[in-house]
Every structure is written in C-alpha cells, then in structure tokens.
Amino acid sequence: MRMPRGGRMVLGTCLGSLVALVLYLQTVTKPDVEPITSTTSTSNHPPLGRSGRNPLRSLYNGDQDSDQSYAQSRLRGRRELLEEACLSQTRKRRVLSPDDLRHLIVDDKHGLIYCYVPKVACTNWKRVLMVLTGDGRYSDPLAIPAHEAHVAGNLRTLSEFPAAEINRRLRSYLKFVFVREPFERLVSAYRNKFTRSYNEAFHKRYGTKIIRRHRPGARPGAVEAGADVSFREFIQYLVDPRTQREEPLNEHWERVHSLCHPCLIHYDVVGKYETLEPDSQAVLGLAGVQGSVRFPSSGKSARTDRDMAARFFQDVSPFLQKKLVNMYRMDFLLFNYSMPRYLRTP
C-alpha cells in the first residue's frame, strides 16, 4: 500500500531531523583541537588518585566518609561564587592561547593542574608538586631549596602540550588555584622585591625606572641603584598608563584573573591564602595523596596581613588609591574579597 504524499513528507522531515541531531551530537562530543577551549570538569573519564577515588565526585557529590567534608563544602561554595561573578562581570569570551597557560603546572601522574600565583604560597605548592612528580627524587617539600622550585623545566606547564592534549587535561584533571586579598598580596610583593637587599635584580630592573619617573629631583646614585623605592612610588608606577603600554606587568603584581583566567578555565578548587593549610590539605585529600606528602606549615610571624597593609597605604593618596582599586577590582569581585576599610577613596 502506497503511503500518502503528506505522510511521506512528514516521514522525510523526521528522518532529516534525526540525521541532523546525530551529526550535532558527534560534533559537540569531539574534543576541540584548535583553538584551545575553556572547559568544565565534565569528562566521562575523570582522573583517579592513588586511592582510586574520583576526586571531583568526592568534592561535588559530598564524601560523607571524609574528615574534610567541611573544607570541601567551603571549596564548593567558593567555586559557585566565582562562577556567578564571572557570569555577571564578563561580557565577551575569547579562546585561550598557549601564552595564557604558562602559569598552569601539570601533574599527569595524579591528574592535577595548578595555577601558581606569586605571593600566594606558590613556592611551597611547587615544592609539593615536585615531590609528587619526582619519581622518588624528593620526599620532603621543605628539603627542596626555594630557588630550585622556580627553575624552569623542573615542572611542566600546560603551555608545553599540543592543543588536543591541553583540551583533554582541562576537561578531566582536577584544576585548582590559590588566591589572596589583592592589596595584602601587593604589599607582600613590594616588601619582598623592593625592601630586601638580596633582590638587586628587581632594583635594577624596576627600581631605577620607578625612581627616575616618580621621584622629582632624584639623586643619580638613587636612580642607578634603584634600591629605596617607596610604596607610594611603587603604586604610582603601577597606575601609570605608560607601565602597561610598555610591557606586561610582572607576575608578582599582575592580577590573578590575568594570570589564571578563572572565567575561561573552570577551576574545581579555589583555595585562599587566609585558610591556606586546611584548603591545601583538602586538595591533597581530593587527589588521594595526603598520605604521601604534607603541605608545609607556615612558621613566618612577619607575613603581610591587613594591619600591615593598612600602614603601608597611609602614605598613598586617595587619588592613587582609587586608581589602584579600579586596577584590581576584578580580583576583589571574582574571589569575594571586600574592599579594605582603611582605604580613603573619594
């Protein structure tokens, strides 16, 4: 019996729609090779730690058997706040380039990606990752000299891989970043790079330029040495439009969102310097390596805190403070930090 013409048309339309749907599903499930894509941790094959657990399932489904359930709940909340902030603050999206990935350290053995941020305990995190990836060469993070932790080549970065391998790792590895109150991090960077005599390279590289531009009537010897930059002069340098036109900001005072791209790379864990040790132990627990390595405890009593930052900002004018707030506003918003009360912005 021959099918009526109208029925044949309906059947043809349905078959065409089915073929289009199959082709669409094949397209969206293929890994993107070019360009590098931003991804969430939704792989069908997430990484397994040494314990054989799925760390992402432990984090997002809630591991009731874990002693770190409270810390994991805090980490889940931070990630949700970051996603909300990204949706409200970012209008345009772009693809990632290999240059965007230079700060993302890869541990293929344990399925980890860590974006390091200078002045946010990155030396100790690099030491920990050297233990995890070192095939027995290291066992104690603190036995690794600080300068060795920063040697290029001791740890692999995501930028070293081809695009297909970058995408695969971004989709399936546990990705984490540690952040810090922006102005406390900034004061810490200033103290380390401009008030320590052993940082002569920074004095020559940045101090001489800062003094030449922002100290009227500077003595030739001060310009040549670049060793006594004041915090106010440092802030003047940062907000000077010429600074970013000439070259990228140094990583020690570059904004976290520019180093780690948290609205393009969906981090599973956002740890904070203010809760460094429990957050670090939670990450190691999620990776299933808490029995293999312990994050080093911080024994420094002179580390930069809110009160110390307030003292440094006393000599910075409200005009400069406002410019600095605008410069670091995204880091405050994305990572849920309140503007410091000691500011005197108009």
Side-chain angles (χ1 to χ4, degrees):
M1 180 176 179
R2 188 173 183 181
M3 182 180 293
R5 182 180 179 185
R8 292 198 304 271
M9 291 178 63
V10 171
L11 180 60
T13 301
C14 291
L15 288 174
S17 299
L18 180 60
V19 170
L21 177 61
V22 170
L23 290 174
Y24 170 76
L25 290 174
Q26 288 178 341
T27 300
V28 299
T29 54
K30 287 182 181 179
D32 296 315
V33 178
E34 293 289 353
I36 300 166
T37 57
S38 56
T39 57
T40 55
S41 298
T42 55
S43 170
N44 293 326
H45 303 286
L48 297 178
R50 289 182 179 177
S51 64
R53 295 183 302 111
N54 177 339
L56 302 184
R57 187 176 298 122
S58 298
L59 180 59
Y60 297 116
N61 293 347
D63 187 351
Q64 298 301 321
D65 297 328
S66 174
D67 294 334
Q68 299 176 340
S69 58
Y70 174 76
Q72 292 176 10
S73 175
R74 182 175 66 242
L75 296 178
R76 288 196 300 271
R78 285 183 192 156
R79 185 180 187 271
E80 291 165 3
L81 286 172
L82 174 59
E83 289 182 344
E84 292 173 5
C86 285
L87 287 173
S88 65
Q89 298 298 324
T90 57
R91 298 291 180 265
K92 295 181 179 179
R93 297 183 66 82
R94 64 177 181 83
V95 296
L96 293 163
S97 70
D99 194 56
D100 293 324
L101 308 175
R102 291 180 297 107
H103 275 246
L104 275 71
I105 295 173
V106 177
D107 174 4
D108 280 328
K109 188 175 182 180
H110 303 94
L112 299 174
I113 293 176
Y114 161 60
C115 186
Y116 74 89
V117 179
K119 308 312 298 176
V120 192
C122 76
T123 300
N124 279 343
W125 262 115
K126 286 182 178 181
R127 286 166 160 161
V128 167
L129 288 167
M130 286 177 71
V131 171
L132 292 177
T133 61
D135 296 323
R137 284 177 292 168
Y138 312 99
S139 58
D140 178 11
L142 288 180
I144 302 173
H147 67 86
E148 188 174 339
H150 299 291
V151 172
N154 280 346
L155 293 165
R156 296 198 72 180
T157 65
L158 198 58
S159 61
E160 299 174 36
F161 295 90
E165 289 299 304
I166 289 172
N167 286 326
R168 182 177 68 81
R169 287 167 173 81
L170 283 174
R171 287 190 176 93
S172 61
Y173 282 16
L174 179 71
K175 302 176 290 295
F176 67 100
V177 59
F178 274 75
V179 301
R180 184 177 186 177
E181 200 276 347
F183 288 170
E184 290 175 27
R185 174 176 171 248
L186 190 62
V187 171
S188 178
Y190 165 77
R191 293 178 64 211
N192 180 257
K193 300 306 177 187
F194 294 106
T195 69
R196 304 287 192 268
S197 59
Y198 56 78
N199 270 323
E200 186 176 350
F202 269 79
H203 302 163
K204 295 289 188 182
R205 176 70 180 81
Y206 297 100
T208 56
K209 180 187 295 185
I210 292 172
I211 293 173
R212 184 183 303 113
R213 285 186 176 176
H214 302 291
R215 186 181 299 178
R219 295 178 295 102
V223 174
E224 183 180 356
D228 63 342
V229 172
S230 70
F231 186 67
R232 178 183 54 78
E233 291 168 338
F234 175 55
I235 300 305
Q236 286 180 291
Y237 162 76
L238 287 179
V239 301
D240 186 338
R242 292 173 293 181
T243 298
Q244 291 191 59
R245 284 202 304 263
E246 292 173 348
E247 60 182 343
L249 290 179
N250 183 274
E251 63 179 9
H252 291 83
W253 44 83
E254 177 62 281
R255 286 70 54 95
V256 176
H257 76 270
S258 296
L259 293 175
C260 296
H261 311 284
C263 293
L264 297 174
I265 298 170
H266 295 261
Y267 290 94
D268 304 297
V269 175
V270 179
K272 289 197 171 185
Y273 188 77
E274 294 78 10
T275 50
L276 176 62
E277 293 187 24
D279 289 355
S280 298
Q281 291 307 120
V283 171
L284 295 176
L286 289 168
V289 296
Q290 67 272 43
S292 303
V293 63
R294 184 170 181 83
F295 190 84
S297 298
S298 176
K300 295 184 178 181
S301 59
R303 74 183 196 179
T304 304
D305 58 15
R306 182 182 305 172
D307 292 338
M308 183 178 291
R311 291 196 296 273
F312 276 87
F313 271 86
Q314 285 177 351
D315 296 328
V316 179
S317 71
F319 174 76
L320 290 176
Q321 288 183 13
K322 183 176 181 179
K323 283 184 170 292
L324 197 69
V325 165
N326 289 335
M327 184 174 176
Y328 286 87
R329 186 179 299 278
M330 280 296 289
D331 276 4
F332 278 100
L333 290 172
L334 293 178
F335 305 115
N336 197 32
Y337 285 107
S338 301
M339 287 294 167
R341 293 185 177 181
Y342 56 73
L343 294 178
R344 307 184 312 280
T345 55

